[in-house]
Amino acid sequence: MFTIEEACLVVVDVQGKLATIVDESEAVIDNVSKLVQAMKALEVPILWLEQNPSRLGGTALNIAQHLQGQAIAKMAFSACQEQEFVDALKASGRTQFIVTGIETHICVYQTARQLKEQGFEVEVVVDAVSSRTKANKELGLEKMKALEILPTSTEMILYELLQRADHPHFKTVLQLVK
């Protein structure tokens, strides 16, 4: 089970026009926003990434308004190829990574794969990832599952982290997923 003490949320490239044209974009942006807000309440670290932000734009406002600090800019498709991300990963001290974002078959897949190859526990939030086409999203999810990167959902991972209905932040999370 993923725990509040070991988990870290990785938000991959939910930015610019691309965020608005991926399959089921509104639901994806909404679910990523819920995850970010819940992680803040639970004090779970968040690493957020932007692919070539000078060309693709910044993180979607519905998500960015809940984030603190700066995004980690990257040019590599896998965040694990960027030293700033590697440093933030080490600084987090976490061993469990919840991966969300776009595009499932490119940056999400490559980042999740390399996190798994480094020995971390990795899960991908299937209702908070997408690609421009549903087929590419499904292909990315299939390849990750073959690598034992397990699927989860926004609600499932949040309740897994809470573990109990009497958790001090249960009502906060409940309001987000309602």
Side-chain angles (χ1 to χ4, degrees):
M1 298 251 300
F2 274 44
T3 66
I4 290 170
E5 296 77 23
E6 291 300 322
C8 179
L9 179 67
V10 179
V11 178
V12 181
D13 309 343
V14 187
Q15 62 189 102
K17 183 180 178 187
L18 184 58
T20 66
I21 64 170
V22 295
D23 188 49
E24 300 183 11
S25 65
E26 287 182 28
V28 170
I29 291 170
D30 186 51
N31 286 330
V32 173
S33 179
K34 288 175 185 177
L35 286 164
V36 166
Q37 292 174 71
M39 297 303 164
K40 279 180 58 180
L42 297 172
E43 298 181 10
V44 170
I46 302 167
L47 301 177
W48 54 297
L49 304 153
E50 291 178 347
Q51 179 73 29
N52 194 6
S54 64
R55 298 280 311 260
L56 296 177
T59 299
L61 182 58
N62 292 2
I63 298 166
Q65 68 184 346
H66 302 292
L67 292 165
Q68 297 172 337
Q70 291 290 108
I72 298 170
K74 65 185 186 65
M75 293 299 287
F77 298 126
S78 170
C80 297
Q81 298 298 313
E82 298 288 348
Q83 191 59 51
E84 186 178 352
F85 179 78
V86 172
D87 293 345
L89 187 73
K90 288 178 185 171
S92 78
R94 302 301 173 116
T95 61
Q96 300 173 328
F97 293 89
I98 303 159
V99 182
T100 183
I102 59 176
E103 285 192 76
T104 310
H105 66 298
I106 305 171
C107 297
V108 171
Y109 162 72
Q110 290 184 30
T111 299
R113 179 184 183 126
Q114 291 196 326
L115 285 168
K116 181 75 172 179
E117 288 171 347
Q118 292 178 40
F120 296 113
E121 287 182 77
V122 183
E123 291 191 4
V124 62
V125 187
V126 297
D127 61 353
V129 296
S130 192
S131 295
R132 286 164 288 153
T133 66
K134 186 175 182 176
N136 276 330
K137 173 185 174 177
E138 290 172 357
L139 181 60
L141 290 172
E142 285 177 33
K143 284 191 79 168
M144 286 185 270
K145 192 171 182 182
L147 296 167
E148 299 180 357
I149 297 167
L150 296 177
T152 191
S153 70
T154 299
E155 201 167 317
M156 184 176 191
I157 194 65
L158 292 177
Y159 282 96
E160 185 173 332
L161 292 172
L162 289 171
Q163 296 184 16
R164 303 177 54 87
D166 59 356
H167 188 283
H169 294 293
F170 173 76
K171 288 182 181 179
T172 302
V173 171
L174 180 64
Q175 291 302 312
L176 290 169
V177 297
K178 273 182 148 179

